[in-house]
Amino acid sequence: MNSARRAFAKALAAIDVVIEVTDARLPEASSNPMIEELRHFRNRPCLKLLNKADLADPEATRAWMAHYNVQPGALAVAISAKHPVDVGRIPVLARQLAPHRSGAEKPLRMILAGIPNVGKSTLMNALLKRRVAKVGDEPAVTKSQQTLDLGPGMTLTDTPGLMWPKIEHDADGYMLAASHAIGRNAVVDEEVAVNLGMILLVRYPAFIEARYGTGTSSLDGEGLLEHIAHRRGCVRKGGGFDLEKAANVFLTDYRTGTLGRISLETPESRQKMLALEGGR
């Protein structure tokens, strides 16, 4: 990650617009503070893409866009990298942030950045209308930086996923793991699922009830996981619930949108979390 940081910082010297891709379900938790720090140092505007918006709660997404769009030098838009209409808007929006760059002599130079597994590679391929980046549902698929022509008078530099060395808030770590931005080797699925359950029981109880056929008023995260294990037949040989298997069922239902359109944080919940834990 240190080498990725150095490469990103060096590339910014010849960049006009930073395009940061975040996960619309957790826009701040999935935003690397280093990207914000370096772009401000270079005084570069940022087009902030809230990707996977088709999986996120529309009301929460609207609140996040309102939150970002009052910040200087930033423009936020909700997209799905799988929808061509959404992708087609991106070059136009980027030009709005650097209107002085146009034509062959002064091409608009953009850099695509974000943490692992927020959909950068899918977006890169969609923008170029051909497969130039490997896509996969695992973090850190893109391994090296590359610059390509996006069209007349436009270049786009793709970067590896930029994760910061230490996640400051435990809540962010659990949200990132639930959304698959952190690899399975770094986390325990059962713990991640319990924390996800605690969030959804408060914010989206109706989704839990509809999917797993249970009331939620007396459940906590662990109780929800046990109910899913019972409901889905996740039982170990010799008896007892297989909570790891139940956790995988639950996390997959969230990640694929099977549970419904869910956001794990809002500007309001973010503010409350920071007040409790301190930090950015």
Side-chain angles (χ1 to χ4, degrees):
M1 290 303 167
N2 286 332
S3 62
R5 177 193 171 100
R6 287 193 295 270
F8 182 76
K10 182 178 180 181
L12 273 186
I15 290 297
D16 305 303
V17 175
V18 175
I19 301 177
E20 183 187 10
V21 186
T22 67
D23 188 323
R25 298 168 295 182
L26 53 154
E28 273 296 289
S30 62
S31 177
N32 187 338
M34 181 198 74
I35 295 172
E36 192 76 356
E37 171 196 335
L38 291 176
R39 80 153 183 104
H40 277 298
F41 177 76
R42 286 287 184 181
N43 195 27
R44 299 297 189 257
C46 181
L47 176 59
K48 189 176 282 283
L49 303 180
L50 279 60
N51 191 30
K52 306 185 184 182
D54 53 330
L55 299 177
D57 183 332
E59 184 176 346
T61 299
R62 285 192 290 271
W64 278 114
M65 287 194 293
H67 170 80
Y68 290 126
N69 282 328
V70 296
Q71 297 177 8
L75 175 61
V77 61
I79 70 160
S80 169
K82 296 178 180 179
H83 295 168
V85 173
D86 288 355
V87 174
R89 299 169 58 201
I90 293 170
V92 177
L93 294 170
R95 282 202 183 280
Q96 291 177 15
L97 291 170
H100 61 290
R101 301 292 303 190
S102 63
E105 293 184 1
K106 294 195 300 181
L108 177 65
R109 301 161 300 178
M110 298 166 283
I111 192 166
L112 192 63
I115 70 168
N117 210 29
V118 290
K120 286 195 306 91
S121 295
T122 298
L123 180 61
M124 185 76 171
N125 292 340
L127 281 166
L128 290 159
K129 298 180 181 177
R130 65 184 190 274
R131 187 181 177 89
V132 295
K134 185 179 178 183
V135 176
D137 187 27
E138 287 292 340
V141 170
T142 300
K143 301 295 184 182
S144 60
Q145 189 170 288
Q146 58 179 332
T147 299
L148 297 158
D149 289 332
L150 186 57
M154 290 186 290
T155 64
L156 181 63
T157 299
D158 190 20
T159 62
L162 295 166
M163 185 61 78
W164 52 109
K166 184 179 184 301
I167 297 171
E168 185 176 353
H169 307 292
D170 289 344
D172 286 350
Y174 284 120
M175 287 190 287
L176 288 165
S179 303
H180 227 180
I182 296 175
R184 294 186 66 185
N185 292 336
V187 294
V188 178
D189 281 350
E190 188 178 332
E191 291 181 10
V192 174
V194 166
N195 277 270
L196 176 64
M198 292 166 61
I199 294 173
L200 302 195
L201 285 167
V202 172
R203 297 188 193 158
Y204 302 97
F207 290 177
I208 298 295
E209 293 170 4
R211 180 65 178 167
Y212 303 118
T214 179
T216 58
S217 59
S218 61
L219 285 181
D220 59 10
E222 292 181 1
L224 173 59
L225 215 54
E226 290 177 359
H227 173 80
I228 293 172
H230 172 72
R231 184 86 175 182
R232 297 299 169 86
C234 302
V235 181
R236 297 185 184 278
K237 289 182 179 179
F241 292 132
D242 187 338
L243 296 182
E244 183 178 354
K245 187 174 181 180
N248 188 257
V249 168
F250 184 38
L251 290 170
T252 299
D253 282 350
Y254 159 68
R255 290 167 179 164
T256 59
T258 302
L259 275 171
R261 297 181 67 175
I262 288 168
S263 291
L264 299 186
E265 63 175 356
T266 65
E268 183 180 6
S269 73
R270 184 80 189 174
Q271 187 175 21
K272 289 179 179 177
M273 185 272 285
L274 292 179
L276 288 172
E277 293 193 20
R280 73 181 181 99

